[in-house]
């Protein structure tokens, strides 16, 4: 199905933190009319700055022309009022990985986006798509659409249907992701963590347990995987990159679903999140991240 046949030309992204701003940037770079929501003006401004910095980096790296950056910027608009999403063909929620928050956002989008062809998607990392879909009056038109951080760089999207996603929605969204966004699609059943996080999170948790027990220092654990296995970054640095709060939330969802000890969050991860040591987004996690934005800019 071509992007045009998918009939998705306008997108709304709810949340402009790390993931939301990346998704919004990708949509704008793909020529879509893109409206971005966050709760207040400081959050919106932080999201706008993050997108501007990323677009500038893409130009500096030769991935984008100046003209394409200008076009992308002109395709972006920001709001603090979800009622502005009424005319959107698709809304993607990318708010923090908190079940109540996500359920509330989806219910509100369902209320606001009354056009019969409009679609809803969640960038959840781990929550059941069925549960999110059931919070709306249109469960057949809700899917999981899971992106990877940094979104402008990593070209994978996990597509997750719920038990009741309808065939037309599925074809439209699949065509949209591959033909309009140009992302590689893998399909996962609606199980906590989907494919990637079900594999990635136990790996990161093992590294945290290894560090916590004194088995090896953080730098050596990471160097082991970077130099020994050619990973772009080691597991502890990756946890800082993802955000320790998100890592914990995904681990909790996996543990709640499968009750397997390999998904149980290690105490150190819990304590670090309680301490506000969330990684890159707050400037400190397993490493210090000098010069990174303060928590308000995450
Ligand atoms: N737009 C387009 N391309 C960009 C860009 C932008 N804004 N910024 C950077 N790039 C390109 C660069 O040009 C470069 O491309 P090249 O290799 O063709 O030259 C490439 O991206 C790498 O950029 P940098 O050189 O600036 O950065 P590094 O080489 O240090 O890589 C990294 C940084 C991309 C973050 C890399 O370390 C990496 O991929 N790490 C692993 C990240 C990962 O595993 N993410 C998944 C997390 S799991 C997740 O998100 C799911 C969630 O649910 C938990």
């Amino acid at each position: 199905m071509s992007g045009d046949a998918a009939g998705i030309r306008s997108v709304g992204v709810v949340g402009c933190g790390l993931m939301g701003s990346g998704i919004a940037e990708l949509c704008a770079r793909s020529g879509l009319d893109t409206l971005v929501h966050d709760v207040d003006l400081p959050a919106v401004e932080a999201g706008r700055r993050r997108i501007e910095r990323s677009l500038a980096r893409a130009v500096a790296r030769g991935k984008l022309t100046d003209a394409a950056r200008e076009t992308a910027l002109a395709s972006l608009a920001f709001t603090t009022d979800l009622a502005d999403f009424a005319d959107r063909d698709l809304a993607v929620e990318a708010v923090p990985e908190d079940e109540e928050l996500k359920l509330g956002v989806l219910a509100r989008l369902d209320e606001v986006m009354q056009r019969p062809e409009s679609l809803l998607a969640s960038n959840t990392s781990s929550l059941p798509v069925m549960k999110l879909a059931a919070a709306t009056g249109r469960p057949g038109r809700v899917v999981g659409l899971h992106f990877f951080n940094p979104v402008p760089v990593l070209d994978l999207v996990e597509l997750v249907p719920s038990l009741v996603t309808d065939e037309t929605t599925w074809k439209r969204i699949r065509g949209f992701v591959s033909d309009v966004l140009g992302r590689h699609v893998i399909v996962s059943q609606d199980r906590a963590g989907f494919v990637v996080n079900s594999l990635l999170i136990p790996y990161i948790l093992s590294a945290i347990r290894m560090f916590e027990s004194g088995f090896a220092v953080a730098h050596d654990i990471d160097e082991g995987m970077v130099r020994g296995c050619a990973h772009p970054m080691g597991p502890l640095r990756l946890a800082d990159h993802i955000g320790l709060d998100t890592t914990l939330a995904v681990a909790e969802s996996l543990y709640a679903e499968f009750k397997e000890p390999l998904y149980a969050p290690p105490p150190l991860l819990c304590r670090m999140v309680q301490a506000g040591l969330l990684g890159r987004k707050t400037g400190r996690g397993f490493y210090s991240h000098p010069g990174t934005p303060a928590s308000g800019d995450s």
Side-chain angles (χ1 to χ4, degrees):
M1 175 178 289
S2 77
D4 197 46
I8 299 171
R9 293 176 201 84
S10 63
V11 175
V13 180
V14 190
C16 53
L18 281 178
M19 295 305 288
S21 58
I23 296 167
E25 178 186 338
L26 173 64
C27 291
R29 283 168 70 164
S30 305
L32 296 156
D33 164 6
T34 306
L35 181 60
V36 190
H37 173 276
D38 216 315
V39 286
D40 55 26
L41 283 176
V44 159
E45 275 314 306
R48 185 202 301 273
R49 281 197 303 275
R50 185 179 298 105
I51 295 173
E52 286 170 355
R53 281 196 302 271
S54 177
L55 287 170
R57 205 159 46 241
V59 172
R61 299 294 180 121
K63 304 282 179 192
L64 198 66
T65 62
D66 265 321
R69 178 185 57 175
E70 291 311 314
T71 308
L73 284 171
S75 312
L76 280 163
F78 294 84
T79 182
T80 55
D81 186 356
L82 269 189
D84 293 339
F85 277 39
D87 68 347
R88 301 289 99 183
D89 296 321
L90 167 70
V92 184
E93 80 65 27
V95 300
E97 198 68 9
D98 172 304
E99 186 172 315
E100 288 311 308
L101 181 61
K102 284 193 187 282
L103 290 173
V105 166
L106 281 159
R108 176 75 180 126
L109 288 171
D110 185 46
E111 236 171 63
V112 165
M113 292 169 61
Q114 286 294 319
R115 289 165 50 229
E117 66 281 11
S118 63
L119 304 180
L120 301 181
S122 171
N123 179 55
T124 179
S125 311
S126 60
L127 297 171
V129 178
M130 190 63 253
K131 196 162 194 176
L132 299 173
T136 74
R138 67 179 81 194
R141 283 185 284 134
V142 179
V143 292
L145 199 58
H146 184 220
F147 293 83
F148 294 86
N149 176 21
V151 178
V153 178
L154 299 183
D155 81 340
L156 182 72
V157 171
E158 282 181 309
L159 265 189
V160 188
S162 78
L163 284 179
V164 300
T165 300
D166 67 50
E167 187 67 23
T168 308
T169 296
W170 184 248
K171 284 190 177 146
R172 285 179 70 202
I173 205 82
R174 197 171 176 146
F176 171 74
V177 174
S178 46
D179 301 345
V180 180
L181 298 183
R183 277 347 197 203
H184 185 84
V185 170
I186 61 172
V187 177
S188 170
Q189 274 197 16
D190 186 17
R191 295 289 180 274
F194 314 134
V195 171
V196 173
N197 280 333
S198 295
L199 296 169
L200 178 66
I201 295 297
Y203 158 66
I204 291 176
L205 299 181
S206 297
I208 296 172
R209 282 186 206 104
M210 185 176 259
F211 172 70
E212 188 174 22
S213 69
F215 192 119
V217 297
H219 178 263
D220 287 354
I221 293 169
D222 280 351
E223 284 290 281
M225 297 312 290
V226 171
R227 293 180 186 273
C229 298
H231 287 198
M233 52 173 59
L236 299 174
R237 193 168 289 284
L238 182 55
D240 274 9
H241 172 82
I242 291 170
L244 300 195
D245 50 345
T246 302
T247 304
L248 176 60
V250 180
E252 282 172 339
S253 294
L254 280 161
Y255 189 69
E257 176 124 315
F258 299 110
K259 309 287 187 296
E260 296 276 4
L262 81 165
Y263 297 127
L268 178 63
L269 176 63
C270 303
R271 294 301 166 274
M272 289 177 79
V273 171
Q274 286 154 2
L277 305 176
L278 305 185
R280 206 165 49 106
K281 66 171 93 174
T282 56
R284 193 175 150 203
F286 290 101
Y287 297 91
S288 291
H289 302 272
T292 49
S295 50
D297 195 21
S298 61

